[in-house]
Amino acid sequence: MKTSARQCGWCGGEGSTMICTKCRLVDYCGVECQTQDWKAGHKIFCAKLPKAVKKAEEKVASFSLSDYTTRNVGTFMVTEAEARRGQILEERAAQDICYDAMDMTKGSTEKLIEILHALGTFPLSTEAWGMLGHFYQFEVDPKGSREKLCCAEALKMHDTAILCARKLNPTWSDDRSDELSWGEIENRPYLRALLGRAQCLKNTGKRDEAIRQAKKIMRLNPGDNQGVRKLLCSWFLEARDTEGCTNLLRKFDTKDDACLAYTDVLLPNLASILCQ
């Protein structure tokens, strides 16, 4: 199928006029580049990934703790759920695989295979689903020529990551008010998935929903180790909500962050301009 000129997913050349008709996310100069990319690993992305995702989704839908192995790990430095039902060994194994994948080359077939390995090891791995979301969001199309399409797919992955986290941790409901500290490593895959979801919402034109999601993350992790306040600040201004931006900045010391400090200085002028 012919499309407007884009960057080739194999050689990197500009002016690509072909698109993979299966995933519709990667462009090519011509048949030769498409064939080479398919042999080099695109077939994993196009063929193996959808099948692995579908299989894992079925496992998520039919989740039963009795299908997995648990062990008692006490109550210190574990999630609320782990303190009650024990640590799921398959979940821990999948998390270790994900850590290995994090060190692999961005966008590489090897990295994708490792993520799918984690998903096969434990289909409810919040980290694996979140990494698939990140893969779609930032690694399939680094130039951003198909940003909305990639983010739409990434959003599905992040939504599944959040669903899995909540199945495994019933107190992590959407209306949770208690904090989930970034300092507790077990909380991080969930917090990362929430942030990934917020970014995908924004990039697919759902700014107001993205703002609501970002505010929820700030409630869960008020220390904001993820830098959500910077995103939220820009989204507030884009929405012409200077009051929301001002209230957000007052919660943090902006003098140590040039971006936030600059925004803080300009905000009174921006507010007066936007009110005109």
Side-chain angles (χ1 to χ4, degrees):
M1 176 179 176
K2 300 292 183 180
T3 66
S4 58
R6 299 175 187 274
Q7 185 179 44
C8 178
W10 174 247
C11 72
E14 300 292 338
S16 301
T17 56
M18 288 185 64
I19 182 175
C20 175
T21 56
K22 189 172 180 66
C23 70
R24 305 190 67 79
L25 295 174
V26 182
D27 298 281
Y28 298 103
C29 297
V31 175
E32 183 177 351
C33 281
Q34 185 177 25
T35 301
Q36 291 299 321
D37 194 32
W38 182 263
K39 292 178 180 178
H42 186 65
K43 61 184 177 182
I44 302 296
F45 180 77
C46 251
K48 187 174 181 178
L49 173 58
K51 291 178 181 178
V53 165
K54 182 179 180 181
K55 184 178 180 179
E57 286 175 337
E58 291 171 353
K59 293 284 188 179
V60 171
S62 62
F63 171 70
S64 173
L65 186 60
S66 62
D67 293 333
Y68 302 96
T69 308
T70 60
R71 69 176 178 186
N72 190 307
V73 289
T75 59
F76 180 69
M77 293 297 288
V78 298
T79 66
E80 299 152 341
E82 286 179 328
R84 289 196 306 271
R85 46 106 167 127
Q87 184 183 74
I88 301 174
L89 299 188
E90 292 84 353
E91 180 182 17
R92 175 51 52 195
Q95 184 66 46
D96 288 340
I97 295 170
C98 286
Y99 285 145
D100 289 338
M102 290 177 186
D103 292 330
M104 293 181 174
T105 303
K106 181 178 179 180
S108 67
T109 300
E110 292 74 21
K111 181 176 182 178
L112 179 57
I113 290 173
E114 198 72 355
I115 296 171
L116 295 182
H117 180 201
L119 208 57
T121 300
F122 187 60
L124 280 84
S125 171
T126 303
E127 192 79 271
W129 284 107
M131 289 184 71
L132 276 182
H134 188 278
F135 197 89
Y136 270 110
Q137 190 175 353
F138 298 109
E139 302 179 47
V140 173
D141 179 35
K143 292 288 185 178
S145 60
R146 297 193 180 278
E147 182 180 49
K148 284 191 175 182
L149 287 174
C150 287
C151 281
E153 290 300 317
L155 184 57
K156 298 175 187 176
M157 304 299 115
H158 289 308
D159 280 342
T160 304
I162 293 166
L163 171 65
C164 291
R166 291 174 179 171
K167 275 181 174 282
L168 296 170
N169 302 273
T171 62
W172 291 4
S173 58
D174 190 49
D175 59 354
R176 179 187 174 95
S177 57
D178 292 341
E179 293 183 16
L180 286 174
S181 170
W182 181 262
E184 295 182 20
I185 295 176
E186 290 78 5
N187 297 338
R188 293 183 183 182
Y190 179 56
L191 292 170
R192 281 194 282 263
L194 291 174
L195 177 55
R197 182 176 190 272
Q199 292 172 313
C200 287
L201 287 169
K202 174 62 171 59
N203 292 338
T204 52
K206 300 174 183 177
R207 183 189 61 211
D208 291 346
E209 191 176 350
I211 289 174
R212 288 193 293 271
Q213 178 75 80
K215 290 167 74 173
K216 288 178 182 178
I217 299 171
M218 293 292 296
R219 281 203 306 273
L220 293 173
N221 182 27
D224 191 28
N225 311 71
Q226 298 171 275
V228 177
R229 60 187 181 273
K230 289 187 179 181
L231 289 175
L232 191 50
C233 192
S234 66
W235 295 349
F236 274 138
L237 293 178
E238 187 178 311
R240 304 172 73 88
D241 184 357
T242 55
E243 181 180 357
C245 187
T246 299
N247 292 337
L248 176 64
L249 290 174
R250 292 298 163 266
K251 294 179 181 178
F252 296 92
D253 185 354
T254 61
K255 70 175 183 296
D256 294 326
D257 188 296
C259 180
L260 293 180
Y262 189 61
T263 302
D264 202 11
V265 170
L266 293 180
L267 196 54
N269 292 328
L270 287 174
S272 61
I273 292 172
L274 292 175
C275 288
Q276 291 177 1

